[in-house]
Amino acid sequence: VRTAEAGTQLARASSLPTLAFAVAYGIQGDRYRFGADDRFAVASVVLRWAAWSGPDRARRQGAALEHERARTL
């Protein structure tokens, strides 16, 4: 029953938005030089939110049914 309940919580969490942040720093060019013109830095922020939740809804319903089945056995 606890496993089925965890599956329900996991399916519910998959529909929540996620936020990711990444930073990269390095050197660029065809030679290894470390001057100010050869360095670069990139930062990214990515927000992911499903606009259409058809498969997620089906996954949540299936997990809820599995949880209910486990409780009745």
Side-chain angles (χ1 to χ4, degrees):
V1 172
R2 283 188 275 179
T3 303
E5 185 177 349
T8 302
Q9 292 173 351
L10 183 63
R12 197 175 303 134
S14 70
S15 64
L16 296 175
T18 58
L19 182 65
F21 180 71
V23 175
Y25 178 79
I27 59 171
Q28 63 184 357
D30 55 351
R31 296 191 179 138
Y32 287 105
R33 290 182 279 183
F34 298 97
D37 293 334
D38 301 315
R39 291 181 280 195
F40 74 94
V42 176
S44 302
V45 177
V46 179
L47 174 67
R48 179 186 167 270
W49 196 339
W52 181 68
S53 63
D56 288 337
R57 185 180 310 132
R59 189 178 307 119
R60 285 192 308 269
Q61 288 174 344
L65 288 173
E66 186 63 30
H67 180 228
E68 187 63 30
R69 187 179 76 83
R71 283 183 17 164
T72 58
L73 292 179

